[in-house]
Amino acid sequence: MLVVSSSAAHADGGPAVGNDPGCRGAAPDVTVCASDPVRAPGKSDSQSAAAKGGGKGSAAPKCIYTKMVPQPPAENLAMQDGKKRGGKGAAYQVMCPGTGRIGVVWIPDGNAPGAPAIDPEVVARQAVDSMKLVGPDIDINPKPGGKGLVGMPVWMAVGQSPNTYGPNSATATAGGVTVTATAKVKSIVWNMGDGTSVTCNGPGTGYRKSFGMKQSPDCGHVYKQTSDSAGGKFKVSATATWAVDWQVAGGGGETGHLTEVRNSQVGLTITESQAVN
């Protein structure tokens, strides 16, 4: 659905544009309301744009396009985009309540009724879905299945494949909008199962026998109790936060940022050291 308004000025909270109470215009701005026909595929670890709108089968995200008066300065990316394209047009502010995106885009004259009905963030989420990001590839010492000791250092690390740590890039296209997204893990929070957590801003260092009893230089923990109180094993989880940057192709350079979360778990047995007579 598209609704275009350029009628007399209204005060804040004035009459809705068309029959949509969520779209209000204020002259001399021109407001365009566009229902997005694309819903982002659902994800178990992150809330998609469709989920925010009420889940499967709900109304598609809606974007509101408002012609900016006055127009942005020449160095604005949208204005630079218009210069590259040539011809006449104007910069519009875009607001997508369904995804929380706010930005500025260039729209050629005569195209306002056909303002981009596809929210680039929705396309970016499709690109992220195609990356098939999964939880961290846990590399912990002592190894799951083995036994660690109270008071001894635990080393935590993760593998660095494109799907488990990044960087990972993908491109998606919908409704004539092409978006390239690049994702990489920003941080990993380790919940150690004993009530403590450790935040690591890197992949950590994998343990080698030559390290002996040293503690990890960047991502480690020391248990002060056995895992008996936790049913025999501490449930250790590693939760990775992915930072995703996306950009619309074809000039203008409209950009955005997303956050994705993935999780993995292992069980760790910690016992008391046994005295030798």
Side-chain angles (χ1 to χ4, degrees), residues 41-136:
K43 297 178 70 67
S44 60
D45 296 316
S46 65
Q47 187 178 31
S48 69
K52 294 179 181 178
K56 185 176 181 180
S58 64
K62 180 180 298 179
C63 297
I64 303 168
Y65 291 81
T66 303
K67 186 176 181 179
M68 301 182 69
V69 179
Q71 289 284 280
E75 59 268 22
N76 181 274
L77 289 177
M79 300 300 286
Q80 293 180 21
D81 181 28
K83 184 177 180 180
K84 291 178 181 178
R85 295 188 188 187
K88 296 182 179 181
Y92 286 71
Q93 182 184 56
V94 55
M95 300 178 63
C96 303
T99 60
R101 185 174 70 88
I102 299 176
V104 177
V105 296
W106 173 271
I107 300 176
D109 286 349
N111 285 8
I118 304 297
D119 180 359
E121 183 173 317
V122 174
V123 185
R125 290 184 182 277
Q126 292 178 339
V128 172
D129 283 344
S130 71
M131 296 179 192
K132 302 186 182 302
L133 306 179
V134 296

Side-chain angles (χ1 to χ4, degrees), residues 215-256:
Q215 292 192 11
S216 170
D218 50 10
C219 192
H221 180 63
V222 175
Y223 284 101
K224 298 180 180 179
Q225 62 191 53
T226 70
S227 55
D228 292 340
S229 59
K233 289 186 178 182
F234 286 123
K235 294 181 180 179
V236 179
S237 67
T239 302
T241 297
W242 290 75
V244 182
D245 294 311
W246 57 263
Q247 182 171 20
V248 177
E254 185 181 1
T255 62

Side-chain angles (χ1 to χ4, degrees), residues 5-72:
S5 171
S6 58
S7 57
H10 301 297
D12 289 346
V17 176
N19 295 321
D20 190 342
C23 306
R24 302 182 183 276
D29 292 350
V30 176
T31 299
V32 179
C33 246
S35 292
D36 187 350
V38 175
R39 291 195 300 269
K43 297 178 70 67
S44 60
D45 296 316
S46 65
Q47 187 178 31
S48 69
K52 294 179 181 178
K56 185 176 181 180
S58 64
K62 180 180 298 179
C63 297
I64 303 168
Y65 291 81
T66 303
K67 186 176 181 179
M68 301 182 69
V69 179
Q71 289 284 280

